[in-house]
């Protein structure tokens, strides 16, 4: 098939070749680029369009920008959700890291208020404060759990631990009350002990077969005895000071209470002695 050139053009090529053989490109059609990019045909070959040149010049910048974005994204740490923070705190408690657990629970009570997760947070806050010796705070969290989740999975444990927190609110140790000293000093406020006894009794009423039932029963009896002995000590103190009416009032209250027969008998003796002094005056 003949080349698609006119005879005039072929004659012109022959004249140019005769004068300057190297200035004439080989005969044949212009070579088309196999690239998919846009090209511009010319007598001397192909060349890239301005749009393509602009795109190619931007490639290094786009490459560096993509690397920067990926790097920044990898350095951004996703903030843990409430359930993840609670799980972390529970793990720390199991290892005895109570201070770290308290830090993990910081602000979590507000975030989970009114939710099922909120009950677990309140109870764990009570546990952490109890182990840290912050018995007033522990009592508060346990009481809040009882109030908001009375039938929750931690109800029995919260009630029992609340009673124990009340016991330990006394500045002296538990050993002080139940081991070393036989009688609580008359000048010591035993209101937490009395409140603890009532909580132990409440535990036995609600959870008679509970995990701590036997210990709660023993604690309630022990606290009642210590409370009775404490009241007898105060009545005796009034009797020694000559305040017979105050002694009778205090001892009579013991006689009418739920104390052991031995304690009530001692209270009756104080009443008799006080009345005898009043009669002799």
């Amino acid at each position: 098939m003949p080349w698609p050139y006119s005879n005039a053009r072929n004659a012109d090529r022959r004249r140019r070749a005769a004068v300057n053989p190297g200035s004439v490109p080989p005969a044949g059609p212009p070579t088309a680029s196999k690239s998919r990019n846009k090209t511009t045909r010319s007598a001397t070959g192909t060349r890239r369009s301005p749009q393509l040149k602009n795109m190619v010049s931007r490639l290094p910048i786009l490459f560096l920008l993509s690397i920067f974005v990926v790097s920044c994204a990898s350095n951004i740490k996703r903030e843990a959700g409430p359930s993840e923070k609670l799980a972390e705190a529970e793990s720390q408690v199991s290892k005895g890291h109570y201070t770290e657990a308290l830090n993990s629970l910081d602000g979590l009570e507000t975030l989970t208020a009114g939710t099922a997760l909120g009950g677990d947070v309140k109870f764990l806050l009570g546990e952490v404060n109890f182990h840290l010796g912050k018995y007033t705070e522990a009592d508060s969290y346990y009481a809040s759990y009882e109030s908001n989740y009375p039938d929750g999975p931690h109800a029995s444990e919260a009630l029992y631990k609340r009673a124990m927190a009340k016991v330990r609110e006394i500045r002296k140790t538990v050993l002080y009350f139940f081991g070393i000293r036989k009688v609580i000093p008359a000048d010591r406020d035993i209101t937490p002990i009395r409140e603890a006894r009532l909580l132990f009794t409440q535990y036995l009423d609600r959870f008679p077969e509970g995990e701590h039932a036997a210990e709660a029963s023993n604690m309630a009896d022990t606290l009642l005895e210590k409370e009775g002995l404490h009241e007898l000590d105060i009545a005796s103190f009034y009797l020694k000071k000559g305040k017979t009416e105050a002694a009778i009032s205090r001892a009579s209250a013991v006689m009418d209470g739920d104390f052991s027969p031995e304690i009530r008998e001692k209270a009756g003796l104080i009443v008799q002695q006080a009345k005898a002094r009043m009669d002799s005056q």
Side-chain angles (χ1 to χ4, degrees):
M1 181 176 182
W3 294 111
Y5 292 98
S6 64
N7 293 331
R9 289 187 60 185
N10 288 333
D12 182 61
R13 287 175 57 83
R14 287 194 295 270
R15 285 195 298 271
R16 288 167 56 194
V19 177
N20 189 0
S23 64
V24 181
T31 303
S33 173
K34 294 183 180 180
S35 173
R36 295 182 180 179
N37 297 327
K38 293 182 179 180
T39 60
T40 302
R41 294 180 180 274
S42 67
T44 59
T46 61
R47 78 168 179 269
R48 291 173 177 172
S49 66
Q51 293 85 352
L52 181 59
K53 287 184 178 180
N54 190 27
M55 183 181 298
V56 172
S57 65
R58 292 181 180 179
L59 285 178
I61 299 176
L62 293 175
F63 178 71
L64 293 176
L65 182 61
S66 63
I67 294 177
F68 176 76
V69 171
V70 171
S71 176
C72 290
S74 62
N75 291 330
I76 296 175
K77 185 178 181 181
R78 185 180 65 85
E79 184 178 357
S83 59
E84 294 172 316
K85 290 182 179 180
L86 177 61
E88 181 182 8
E90 289 174 337
S91 175
Q92 291 166 335
V93 168
S94 67
K95 298 175 183 176
H97 302 162
Y98 302 114
T99 301
E100 290 84 349
L102 193 61
N103 293 333
S104 297
L105 292 169
D106 185 36
L108 206 56
E109 184 182 13
T110 302
L111 291 175
T112 59
T115 67
L117 197 65
D120 294 334
V121 171
K122 286 181 183 294
F123 177 75
L124 194 60
L125 280 168
E127 292 285 271
V128 170
N129 281 280
F130 186 91
H131 286 289
L132 288 175
K134 300 178 179 180
Y135 301 117
T136 301
E137 291 85 347
D139 179 22
S140 177
Y141 284 118
Y142 288 138
S144 179
Y145 180 88
E146 284 187 274
S147 176
N148 291 279
Y149 306 90
D151 299 320
H154 308 295
S156 62
E157 189 70 15
L159 181 56
Y160 175 77
K161 285 291 186 66
R162 187 184 176 197
M164 291 301 300
K166 288 287 187 184
V167 171
R168 297 188 183 186
E169 281 177 11
I170 298 294
R171 291 184 179 179
K172 298 295 182 179
T173 63
V174 177
L175 182 63
Y176 176 91
F177 289 108
F178 308 130
I180 298 176
R181 293 291 296 271
K182 299 300 182 183
V183 180
I184 302 172
D187 62 347
R188 181 166 295 282
D189 180 18
I190 64 165
T191 299
I193 299 297
R194 186 177 291 111
E195 292 176 346
R197 176 175 62 82
L198 295 176
L199 288 172
F200 282 124
T201 302
Q202 182 182 347
Y203 177 90
L204 292 171
D205 291 340
R206 291 186 59 190
F207 310 102
E209 303 297 329
E211 178 183 356
H212 305 289
E215 188 175 358
S217 178
N218 180 62
M219 289 290 291
D221 292 342
T222 301
L223 291 172
L224 182 62
E225 181 183 1
K226 295 301 180 182
E227 186 180 335
L229 292 174
H230 177 262
E231 293 298 318
L232 286 179
D233 191 49
I234 294 177
S236 298
F237 174 79
Y238 286 144
L239 184 61
K240 291 177 182 179
K241 293 296 183 179
K243 298 179 179 181
T244 53
E245 292 184 1
I248 292 174
S249 175
R250 203 81 181 201
S252 296
V254 175
M255 293 175 63
D256 296 335
D258 297 328
F259 302 101
S260 66
E262 294 79 8
I263 290 179
R264 290 202 301 269
E265 182 179 352
K266 291 179 181 180
L269 291 175
I270 293 176
V271 171
Q272 291 177 8
Q273 294 173 5
K275 288 182 177 180
R277 290 191 182 185
M278 292 178 67
D279 293 341
S280 65
Q281 292 178 353

